[in-house]
Amino acid sequence: MAVSLAFVAKPLMLPIDRILPSKIWPDAVFETKKFKLILASIQEVDLIEPLSVGPVDRKTGHHLLLDGHLRLLVLKQLQRIEVPCLVATDDESYTYNNRVNRLSTIQEHYMIRRALERGVPPERLASALCVDSAQLMRKANLLNGICAEAAELLKDRQFSPEVSTALRQMRPTRQIECVELMIAANTLTVPYARALLMATPSEMLTAGRRRPVDKAVSQEQVERMEHEMANLQDQYKLAEQTYGEDILNLVVARGYIGKLIDNPQVMRYLQKHHEEVLEQFQTIVQSVSMEG
């Protein structure tokens, strides 16, 4: 089956004055740490990630910038004439926001890997990114030992490389379970990842790995944590399976309650005999939509 690409496969060199930003930055942005970091990176190792632009406007010959606004500002400050761009093939501008996100941890990992593969010395790259060499290599080796399914779940997220350190000590099925739990809780933190690692049964760890156990934590507490974590995973999977049906039932119930209290006779009866029930009904009807 043929798959249409959202962007032209190869970057094109476009005149920088033909690229129109879709947002305007205040002058204060030039003093931000992020701007200075990108400036130092481009000065040191040049542009690694191309800009993303929309298709050319036939009348003006301009391209709307979709992603890379700070990079464009830096390139203009450096007085560049041309810039490599990935050109979108879709004319429907309302879909662009679905493709454009701030740089995720895994995207940063790929950028670093590409720079290293091009022969940029690690020390020079670390200097450009304002990190030490050890941290740079942790970012470069981010996905070592991480299964493809877990990496796919994390691809648009931001997290510390130490989260990967905890995950790579687990078998692939357990990695996926833990990533799903962290995403469901919206907590991709190092302490949470380490807690999940401690609660991981020995048979779910990679070969030769021993679960780290805090000296202050007894074996009984670890076993209780394993049991509670297993229950949490079962509850999460059950909630995931019934979520759609539950939302549908809630929407139907909300609509029914709305029609019920729109009836003047029902409204008068509830106001007279069940004021607390009426208050709850009104709260339900006035609540924000639960669209997901």
Side-chain angles (χ1 to χ4, degrees):
M1 180 178 67
V3 178
S4 58
L5 299 177
F7 290 87
V8 174
K10 293 184 178 180
L12 301 178
M13 295 300 296
L14 298 177
I16 205 166
D17 59 1
R18 293 288 181 177
I19 300 172
L20 299 178
S22 55
K23 65 171 71 172
I24 299 175
W25 294 94
D27 292 340
V29 73
F30 295 101
E31 300 302 321
T32 62
K33 181 178 179 181
K34 188 170 184 180
F35 180 87
K36 292 178 180 179
L37 179 64
I38 295 173
L39 175 62
S41 174
I42 292 177
Q43 286 177 322
E44 192 70 27
V45 297
D46 209 350
L47 185 68
I48 298 174
E49 193 75 3
L51 307 183
S52 298
V53 299
V56 64
D57 185 304
R58 301 293 181 184
K59 295 181 180 178
T60 65
H62 288 87
H63 295 263
L64 180 66
L65 181 63
L66 306 178
D67 187 34
H69 287 80
L70 282 180
R71 279 172 279 160
L72 181 64
L73 281 181
V74 168
L75 292 167
K76 285 183 176 179
Q77 184 166 323
L78 294 174
Q79 298 182 341
R80 296 290 180 88
I81 298 174
E82 292 185 320
V83 58
C85 297
L86 292 173
V87 181
T89 58
D90 192 343
D91 288 328
E92 298 181 7
S93 59
Y94 68 85
T95 64
Y96 292 151
N97 287 335
N98 294 331
R99 301 191 191 111
V100 178
N101 296 296
R102 60 179 180 169
L103 192 66
S104 71
T105 301
I106 289 181
Q107 287 173 325
E108 182 186 31
H109 156 77
Y110 287 135
M111 290 173 63
I112 291 171
R113 295 292 303 180
R114 280 197 294 270
L116 293 173
E117 288 166 2
R118 291 175 182 176
V120 178
E123 298 78 12
R124 183 181 172 193
L125 188 58
S127 174
L129 297 176
C130 300
V131 298
D132 59 45
S133 296
Q135 186 178 0
L136 177 78
M137 296 315 297
R138 283 196 294 272
K139 291 175 180 286
N141 297 324
L142 184 79
L143 297 183
N144 288 1
I146 305 299
C147 71
E149 293 83 355
E152 178 66 19
L153 291 170
L154 291 167
K155 67 178 183 180
D156 296 324
R157 308 278 175 166
Q158 291 190 326
F159 56 94
S160 167
E162 296 303 321
V163 170
S164 291
T165 301
L167 290 174
R168 69 170 55 96
Q169 298 180 57
M170 310 172 193
R171 294 185 182 275
T173 53
R174 178 61 176 166
Q175 288 181 13
I176 297 168
E177 287 179 354
C178 290
V179 171
E180 287 177 341
L181 284 170
M182 287 190 286
I183 290 174
N186 196 28
T187 309
L188 276 83
T189 62
V190 176
Y192 192 18
R194 288 175 177 167
L196 291 171
L197 175 60
M198 289 184 64
T200 299
S202 298
E203 62 271 17
M204 296 298 291
L205 298 175
T206 54
R209 294 283 186 179
R210 301 183 68 181
R211 177 176 49 204
V213 178
D214 193 302
K215 293 180 180 179
V217 179
S218 67
Q219 184 61 34
E220 181 183 355
Q221 289 173 313
V222 171
E223 291 174 357
R224 189 184 305 122
M225 189 185 299
E226 286 182 10
H227 179 70
E228 291 175 353
M229 188 60 66
N231 287 338
L232 178 59
Q233 288 173 209
D234 290 341
Q235 292 172 18
Y236 166 74
K237 290 176 181 177
L238 180 62
E240 188 178 41
Q241 291 169 358
T242 61
Y243 176 78
E245 183 179 349
D246 290 344
I247 291 297
L248 177 60
N249 290 336
L250 285 171
V251 170
V252 172
R254 182 183 171 205
Y256 175 76
I257 292 172
K259 291 182 179 180
L260 195 63
I261 63 176
D262 281 343
N263 186 308
Q265 292 179 328
V266 173
M267 176 68 81
R268 285 195 298 270
Y269 177 82
L270 290 174
Q271 286 174 331
K272 184 176 180 180
H273 300 286
H274 300 285
E275 189 173 349
E276 70 286 351
V277 174
L278 176 60
E279 184 179 340
Q280 292 299 319
F281 280 178
Q282 289 173 328
T283 300
I284 292 171
V285 172
Q286 294 169 4
S287 64
V288 178
S289 173
M290 299 187 68
E291 290 179 352

